[in-house]
Amino acid sequence: MAEFLFWFGVVVVVYTYLGYPVLITVLTLGKKGYQARAEAEGFEPSVSLIISAWNEADWIRQKARNTQEIDYPADKIQVIFMTDGSDDDTPDILKNEFPQFETYHKPGRSGKIAAMERGVTFAKTPILIFSDANTILNTEVVRNIVKHYADANIGGVAGEKRIIMEQEEAASGAGEGIYWKYESYLKDRDYAFHSVVGAAGELFSVRRDLFENVEPDTLLDDFIISLRVAGKGFRVAYAPDAYASERPSADTEAEMTRKVRISAGGIQSIVRLRYLLNPFGRFKLWFQYISHRVLRWTLAPLMLPVILLANIGLAVEGDIFYVALLALQLAFYAASILGYLLEKKKIKLKVLFVPFYFSMMNVSVYLGFLRYIRGQQSVNWARAKRAT
């Protein structure tokens, strides 16, 4: 039984983090994530860019100036800033210094989701683009998103999230950057195969007539909105040339807080999107969803302690092969702990970035699950601490 549990766990973990990326790469050999379409030439539909901002007075001018620099016909882009709940100068700065944008405000914190959905009610265009207030967009961002909508089968578009890192960063920041490069690659291959399975809230877009309000206590609105679009039979495109850039988390605690929230939201999403666990009628999406998302938030983290405990039991029996595998496991976790301790002291050692971030990511799944079942997660804005 110990041997079965060990190898079953190894297969699950290896498939989740390495096997699926290899498999989806093989399945999409020679395919591009975005195939240029002739009808996309000169395609300039009207769009609404909705930006939710809570107490962003120190940052909002930079975001507004960045928005001004977007290369798209002014009469075809409606910019909406939602400042609900802000009790600093954010609404006044926008209204007084950037009157060309629409700014809507009401007191009282109801959370980002409520503000975003209220913003949709003011949108007057067939395409919605959502962006966070603390990110910087590239000037071609709108053009590179809307060209995908020339294909009537595209129901949404996921932009790329980029982490701006200095030459020397803490382990959590560097690990975060590596993780998002890994995720960006998977999104590209997912789209080449069929559809992106989950957009990042920093930058994503949907057709107005496919947008659905989510449950008020939803933690990962971007993920659920984009998966519900895919669940209706539309593809969600990936646009790596439309990107939102932001600084990494300020420290390990900040990144851990973010990961725990995402993990709690992941469990919640699996429950609310349980109809996607049925492969009939949407086999491609099911295959991607299980492989890329569900296993990462459920079975893979669960198998890690099972693998370790089973390995200990097998090594105790004296089999040199399992003794060697146990030594490798212990070395990996020792590297993770060392990476954490060095990060606390602001000591940089690149070789420890991956084991440290991998372990932190999986611990966060356990903590996120506990937070979800206890109902302790709030949907109200809690600004993430970012490196300066």
Side-chain angles (χ1 to χ4, degrees):
M1 178 59 70
E3 195 165 22
F4 170 79
L5 289 174
F6 175 81
W7 286 111
F8 177 77
V10 167
V11 168
V12 169
V13 172
V14 171
Y15 174 77
T16 301
Y17 294 104
L18 294 176
Y20 177 67
V22 171
L23 179 58
I24 200 71
T25 298
V26 172
L27 292 175
T28 58
L29 284 177
K31 294 183 179 180
K32 292 183 179 180
Y34 170 69
Q35 297 286 353
R37 297 173 61 88
E39 57 265 44
E41 293 297 324
F43 184 63
E44 292 182 344
S46 296
V47 304
S48 297
L49 175 60
I50 301 173
I51 302 165
S52 300
W54 176 71
N55 283 356
E56 294 283 0
D58 294 337
W59 179 260
I60 202 65
R61 287 185 180 89
Q62 185 174 355
K63 179 65 176 183
R65 294 189 187 107
N66 170 243
T67 304
Q68 286 179 316
E69 295 170 355
I70 292 175
D71 177 25
Y72 206 69
D75 61 336
K76 293 185 177 182
I77 179 170
Q78 176 191 20
V79 178
I80 299 172
F81 278 92
M82 301 301 300
T83 61
D84 294 0
S86 295
D87 54 14
D88 65 356
D89 294 332
T90 301
D92 294 332
I93 291 171
L94 288 167
K95 291 177 181 178
N96 296 331
E97 300 181 27
F98 303 93
Q100 70 272 38
F101 300 145
E102 297 178 31
T103 300
Y104 298 97
H105 176 78
K106 72 173 185 178
R109 292 181 64 187
S110 300
K112 176 184 174 183
I113 299 168
M116 183 181 78
E117 292 179 346
R118 199 167 81 89
V120 172
T121 65
F122 299 111
K124 303 171 184 175
T125 73
I127 293 175
L128 308 174
I129 301 175
F130 300 96
S131 174
D132 284 350
N134 62 347
T135 60
I136 294 298
L137 307 179
N138 61 309
T139 58
E140 298 291 319
V141 62
V142 174
R143 293 189 182 280
N144 293 337
I145 285 176
V146 300
K147 65 185 179 183
H148 293 272
Y149 287 115
D151 184 344
N153 293 317
I154 298 299
V157 181
E160 179 173 307
K161 175 178 176 178
R162 295 186 179 181
I163 302 299
I164 306 170
M165 291 190 296
E166 303 296 338
Q167 187 64 29
E168 294 186 2
E169 295 284 2
S172 59
E176 188 180 352
I178 294 170
Y179 169 79
W180 279 107
K181 289 179 180 178
Y182 168 81
E183 271 299 301
S184 294
Y185 175 78
L186 283 184
K187 280 187 171 71
D188 178 74
R189 293 299 85 199
D190 277 341
Y191 179 38
F193 180 75
H194 176 59
S195 174
V196 170
V197 282
E202 287 77 7
L203 179 62
F204 75 104
S205 171
V206 296
R207 292 187 188 271
R208 177 68 177 82
D209 58 358
L210 294 178
F211 178 84
E212 288 184 9
N213 287 352
V214 296
E215 294 81 351
D217 63 342
T218 298
L219 300 178
L220 299 183
D221 53 281
D222 44 8
F223 183 81
I224 287 187
I225 289 170
S226 56
L227 259 295
R228 283 178 174 167
V229 168
K232 293 176 181 177
F234 293 88
R235 299 174 66 203
V236 176
Y238 178 55
D241 49 1
Y243 52 87
S245 302
E246 66 179 13
R247 295 285 286 132
S249 299
D251 49 38
T252 304
E253 286 72 20
E255 177 64 1
M256 188 67 174
T257 298
R258 193 182 71 84
K259 282 292 185 186
V260 170
R261 178 184 175 85
I262 291 173
S263 297
I267 300 299
Q268 182 190 65
S269 299
I270 292 172
V271 173
R272 291 185 175 170
L273 297 171
R274 52 188 175 273
Y275 62 92
L276 295 182
L277 300 177
N278 182 353
F280 298 103
R282 53 172 77 91
F283 181 79
K284 283 188 173 182
L285 180 63
W286 171 84
F287 161 68
Q288 293 177 286
Y289 178 55
I290 296 294
S291 300
H292 190 168
R293 300 297 184 181
V294 175
L295 289 178
R296 192 183 296 184
W297 283 328
T298 56
L299 203 53
L302 180 64
M303 286 296 103
L304 290 174
V306 171
I307 293 170
L308 180 60
L309 292 174
N311 198 170
I312 291 173
L314 293 167
V316 167
E317 296 177 0
D319 189 317
I320 190 63
F321 176 70
Y322 288 107
V323 170
L325 290 179
L326 178 60
L328 289 174
Q329 278 205 79
L330 295 177
F332 182 87
Y333 290 121
S336 302
I337 296 171
L338 180 59
Y340 170 76
L341 296 174
L342 293 180
E343 194 279 336
K344 296 290 289 183
K345 296 180 179 294
K346 305 301 181 184
I347 299 175
K348 175 185 176 184
L349 195 58
K350 285 186 176 182
V351 71
L352 301 179
F353 289 170
V354 172
F356 166 69
Y357 197 81
F358 176 86
S359 298
M360 180 177 68
M361 184 170 64
N362 282 283
V363 168
S364 73
V365 173
Y366 283 90
L367 297 177
F369 177 75
L370 291 175
R371 180 167 295 188
Y372 171 69
I373 62 175
R374 292 172 180 172
Q376 295 176 329
Q377 186 65 60
S378 170
V379 297
N380 283 340
W381 270 305
R383 185 181 298 104
K385 290 171 58 181
R386 291 289 171 184
T388 56

